[in-house]
Coordinates of all heavy atoms in Angstrom, one line a residue:
M1185 N 23.5 208.9 -19.0 CA 24.1 207.7 -19.6 C 23.2 206.5 -19.5 O 22.7 206.3 -18.5 CB 25.4 207.4 -18.9 CG 26.6 207.6 -19.8 SD 28.2 207.2 -18.9 CE 28.5 208.6 -18.0
L1188 N 25.4 199.9 -19.9 CA 26.3 199.2 -20.7 C 25.8 197.8 -21.0 O 25.2 197.1 -20.1 CB 27.7 199.0 -20.1 CG 28.5 200.3 -19.8 CD1 29.7 200.1 -18.9 CD2 28.9 200.9 -21.2
E1199 N 32.1 197.6 -17.0 CA 32.3 198.7 -16.2 C 33.2 199.7 -16.9 O 34.0 199.3 -17.8 CB 32.9 198.4 -14.9 CG 34.3 197.9 -15.0 CD 35.0 197.5 -13.7 OE1 34.3 197.6 -12.6 OE2 36.2 197.1 -13.7
F1200 N 33.1 201.0 -16.6 CA 34.0 202.0 -17.1 C 35.3 202.0 -16.3 O 35.3 201.8 -15.1 CB 33.4 203.4 -17.0 CG 32.2 203.7 -17.9 CD1 30.9 203.7 -17.5 CD2 32.5 204.0 -19.3 CE1 29.9 203.9 -18.4 CE2 31.5 204.2 -20.1 CZ 30.1 204.2 -19.7
V1201 N 36.4 202.3 -17.0 CA 37.7 202.4 -16.4 C 38.3 203.7 -16.9 O 38.2 204.0 -18.1 CB 38.6 201.2 -16.8 CG1 40.0 201.4 -16.2 CG2 38.0 199.9 -16.3
R1202 N 38.8 204.5 -16.0 CA 39.5 205.7 -16.3 C 40.9 205.6 -15.7 O 41.1 205.4 -14.5 CB 38.8 206.9 -15.8 CG 39.4 208.2 -16.2 CD 38.6 209.4 -15.6 NE 39.0 210.6 -16.4 CZ 38.2 211.3 -17.1 NH1 36.9 211.0 -17.1 NH2 38.6 212.3 -17.8
K1203 N 41.9 205.8 -16.5 CA 43.3 205.8 -16.0 C 44.2 206.7 -16.8 O 43.8 207.1 -17.9 CB 43.8 204.3 -16.1 CG 43.9 203.7 -17.4 CD 44.2 202.2 -17.4 CE 45.6 202.0 -17.0 NZ 46.0 200.6 -17.1
C1212 N 48.0 211.5 -20.3 CA 46.6 212.0 -20.4 C 45.7 211.0 -19.9 O 46.1 209.8 -19.6 CB 46.3 212.3 -21.9 SG 46.3 210.9 -23.0
D1213 N 44.5 211.3 -19.7 CA 43.4 210.4 -19.2 C 42.9 209.6 -20.3 O 42.8 210.1 -21.5 CB 42.3 211.1 -18.5 CG 42.6 211.6 -17.1 OD1 43.7 211.2 -16.6 OD2 41.8 212.3 -16.5
A1214 N 42.5 208.4 -20.1 CA 41.9 207.5 -21.1 C 40.7 206.9 -20.4 O 40.8 206.5 -19.2 CB 42.8 206.5 -21.7
V1215 N 39.6 206.7 -21.1 CA 38.4 206.0 -20.7 C 38.2 204.8 -21.6 O 38.3 204.9 -22.8 CB 37.2 206.9 -20.6 CG1 35.9 206.2 -20.2 CG2 37.4 208.1 -19.7
Y1216 N 37.8 203.7 -21.0 CA 37.4 202.5 -21.8 C 36.4 201.7 -21.0 O 36.3 201.9 -19.8 CB 38.6 201.7 -22.3 CG 39.5 201.1 -21.2 CD1 39.2 199.9 -20.7 CD2 40.6 201.8 -20.8 CE1 40.1 199.3 -19.7 CE2 41.4 201.3 -19.8 CZ 41.1 200.1 -19.2 OH 42.0 199.5 -18.3
V1217 N 35.8 200.7 -21.6 CA 34.9 199.8 -20.9 C 35.6 198.4 -20.9 O 36.2 198.0 -21.9 CB 33.6 199.7 -21.7 CG1 32.6 198.7 -21.0 CG2 32.9 201.1 -21.7
S1226 N 37.1 197.6 -24.6 CA 36.8 198.5 -25.8 C 38.0 199.3 -26.1 O 39.0 199.2 -25.3 CB 35.6 199.4 -25.5 OG 36.0 200.4 -24.6
N1227 N 38.0 200.0 -27.2 CA 39.1 200.9 -27.5 C 39.2 202.0 -26.4 O 38.1 202.4 -25.9 CB 38.9 201.5 -28.9 CG 39.1 200.5 -30.0 OD1 39.8 199.5 -29.8 ND2 38.5 200.8 -31.1
R1228 N 40.4 202.5 -26.2 CA 40.5 203.7 -25.3 C 40.0 205.0 -26.0 O 40.2 205.2 -27.2 CB 42.0 203.9 -24.9 CG 42.6 202.8 -24.1 CD 44.0 203.1 -23.7 NE 44.8 203.6 -24.8 CZ 46.1 203.7 -24.8 NH1 46.7 203.4 -23.7 NH2 46.7 204.1 -25.9
V1229 N 39.4 205.8 -25.2 CA 39.0 207.1 -25.7 C 39.9 208.1 -24.9 O 39.8 208.2 -23.6 CB 37.6 207.5 -25.4 CG1 37.2 208.9 -25.8 CG2 36.7 206.5 -26.1
L1230 N 40.8 208.8 -25.5 CA 41.7 209.7 -24.9 C 40.9 211.0 -24.5 O 40.2 211.5 -25.3 CB 42.9 210.0 -25.7 CG 43.8 208.9 -26.1 CD1 45.0 209.3 -27.0 CD2 44.4 208.2 -24.9
Y1231 N 41.1 211.4 -23.3 CA 40.3 212.6 -22.8 C 41.1 213.9 -23.1 O 42.3 214.0 -22.8 CB 40.1 212.4 -21.3 CG 39.5 213.6 -20.7 CD1 38.2 213.9 -20.9 CD2 40.3 214.5 -19.9 CE1 37.6 215.1 -20.4 CE2 39.7 215.7 -19.4 CZ 38.4 215.9 -19.6 OH 37.8 217.1 -19.1
S1232 N 40.4 214.8 -23.6 CA 40.9 216.1 -23.8 C 39.8 217.1 -23.5 O 38.7 217.1 -24.0 CB 41.3 216.3 -25.3 OG 41.5 217.7 -25.6
K1233 N 40.1 218.1 -22.6 CA 39.1 219.1 -22.2 C 38.6 219.9 -23.4 O 37.5 220.4 -23.5 CB 39.7 220.1 -21.2 CG 39.9 219.5 -19.8 CD 40.4 220.5 -18.9 CE 40.7 219.9 -17.5 NZ 41.2 220.9 -16.6
K1234 N 39.5 220.0 -24.5 CA 39.1 220.7 -25.7 C 38.0 220.0 -26.4 O 37.1 220.6 -27.0 CB 40.4 220.8 -26.6 CG 40.1 221.6 -27.8 CD 41.4 221.7 -28.6 CE 41.2 222.5 -29.9 NZ 42.4 222.6 -30.7
Y1235 N 38.0 218.7 -26.5 CA 37.1 217.9 -27.3 C 36.0 217.2 -26.5 O 34.9 216.9 -27.1 CB 37.8 216.9 -28.1 CG 38.8 217.5 -29.1 CD1 40.2 217.3 -28.9 CD2 38.4 218.2 -30.2 CE1 41.1 217.9 -29.8 CE2 39.3 218.8 -31.0 CZ 40.6 218.6 -30.8 OH 41.5 219.2 -31.7
H1236 N 36.2 217.0 -25.3 CA 35.2 216.2 -24.5 C 34.6 217.1 -23.4 O 35.2 217.3 -22.4 CB 35.8 215.0 -23.9 CG 36.3 214.0 -24.9 ND1 37.6 213.9 -25.3 CD2 35.6 213.1 -25.6 CE1 37.7 213.0 -26.2 NE2 36.5 212.5 -26.4
K1237 N 33.4 217.5 -23.6 CA 32.6 218.4 -22.7 C 31.6 217.5 -22.0 O 31.0 216.6 -22.5 CB 31.9 219.5 -23.4 CG 32.8 220.4 -24.3 CD 33.8 221.2 -23.4 CE 34.6 222.1 -24.3 NZ 35.9 222.4 -23.9
N1238 N 31.4 217.8 -20.7 CA 30.3 217.1 -19.9 C 30.4 215.6 -19.9 O 29.5 214.9 -20.1 CB 28.9 217.6 -20.4 CG 28.7 219.1 -20.3 OD1 29.2 219.7 -19.4 ND2 28.1 219.6 -21.3
D1239 N 31.6 215.1 -19.7 CA 31.9 213.7 -19.7 C 31.5 212.9 -21.0 O 31.2 211.8 -20.9 CB 31.1 213.0 -18.5 CG 31.7 213.5 -17.1 OD1 32.9 213.8 -17.1 OD2 30.9 213.6 -16.2
S1240 N 31.6 213.6 -22.1 CA 31.3 213.0 -23.4 C 32.2 211.8 -23.7 O 31.9 211.0 -24.5 CB 31.2 214.0 -24.5 OG 32.5 214.5 -24.8
E1241 N 33.4 211.8 -23.1 CA 34.3 210.7 -23.3 C 33.7 209.3 -22.9 O 33.9 208.3 -23.4 CB 35.7 210.9 -22.7 CG 35.7 210.9 -21.2 CD 35.4 212.2 -20.5 OE1 34.8 213.1 -21.2 OE2 35.7 212.3 -19.3
Y1242 N 32.9 209.4 -21.8 CA 32.2 208.2 -21.3 C 31.2 207.7 -22.3 O 31.0 206.5 -22.6 CB 31.5 208.4 -20.0 CG 32.5 208.5 -18.8 CD1 33.0 209.7 -18.4 CD2 33.0 207.4 -18.2 CE1 34.0 209.8 -17.4 CE2 33.9 207.4 -17.2 CZ 34.4 208.6 -16.8 OH 35.3 208.7 -15.8
L1243 N 30.4 208.7 -22.9 CA 29.4 208.3 -23.9 C 30.1 207.7 -25.2 O 29.6 206.7 -25.7 CB 28.7 209.6 -24.3 CG 27.5 209.4 -25.3 CD1 26.5 208.4 -24.8 CD2 26.9 210.7 -25.6
E1244 N 31.2 208.3 -25.5 CA 32.0 207.7 -26.7 C 32.4 206.3 -26.4 O 32.3 205.4 -27.3 CB 33.2 208.6 -27.0 CG 33.8 208.4 -28.4 CD 34.8 209.5 -28.7 OE1 34.7 210.6 -28.2 OE2 35.8 209.1 -29.4
A1245 N 33.0 206.0 -25.2 CA 33.4 204.7 -24.9 C 32.2 203.7 -24.8 O 32.3 202.6 -25.2 CB 34.2 204.7 -23.5
Q1246 N 31.1 204.2 -24.2 CA 29.9 203.4 -24.1 C 29.4 203.0 -25.5 O 29.0 201.9 -25.7 CB 28.8 204.2 -23.4 CG 27.5 203.5 -23.3 CD 26.4 204.4 -22.8 OE1 26.6 205.6 -22.5 NE2 25.2 203.9 -22.7
E1247 N 29.3 204.0 -26.4 CA 28.9 203.7 -27.8 C 29.7 202.6 -28.5 O 29.2 201.7 -29.1 CB 28.8 204.9 -28.6 CG 27.7 205.9 -28.2 CD 27.7 207.2 -28.9 OE1 28.7 207.5 -29.7 OE2 26.8 208.0 -28.8
A1248 N 31.0 202.7 -28.2 CA 31.9 201.7 -28.8 C 31.7 200.3 -28.2 O 31.6 199.3 -28.9 CB 33.4 202.1 -28.6
W1249 N 31.5 200.2 -26.9 CA 31.2 198.9 -26.2 C 29.9 198.4 -26.6 O 29.7 197.2 -26.9 CB 31.3 199.1 -24.7 CG 31.0 197.9 -24.0 CD1 29.8 197.5 -23.5 CD2 31.9 196.8 -23.7 NE1 29.9 196.3 -22.9 CE2 31.1 195.8 -23.0 CE3 33.2 196.6 -24.0 CZ2 31.7 194.6 -22.6 CZ3 33.8 195.4 -23.5 CH2 33.1 194.4 -22.8

Side-chain angles (χ1 to χ4, degrees):
M1185 244 183 281
L1188 294 169
E1199 69 179 3
F1200 287 104
V1201 176
R1202 183 179 201 118
K1203 63 188 289 186
C1212 63
D1213 283 352
V1215 175
Y1216 60 90
V1217 178
S1226 69
N1227 290 338
R1228 294 184 311 193
V1229 177
L1230 298 179
Y1231 172 75
S1232 167
K1233 288 182 183 180
K1234 181 177 178 182
Y1235 298 110
H1236 295 100
K1237 306 291 186 213
N1238 300 322
D1239 294 329
S1240 68
E1241 69 275 16
Y1242 287 95
L1243 182 59
E1244 197 173 326
Q1246 174 191 2
E1247 288 173 354
W1249 177 264

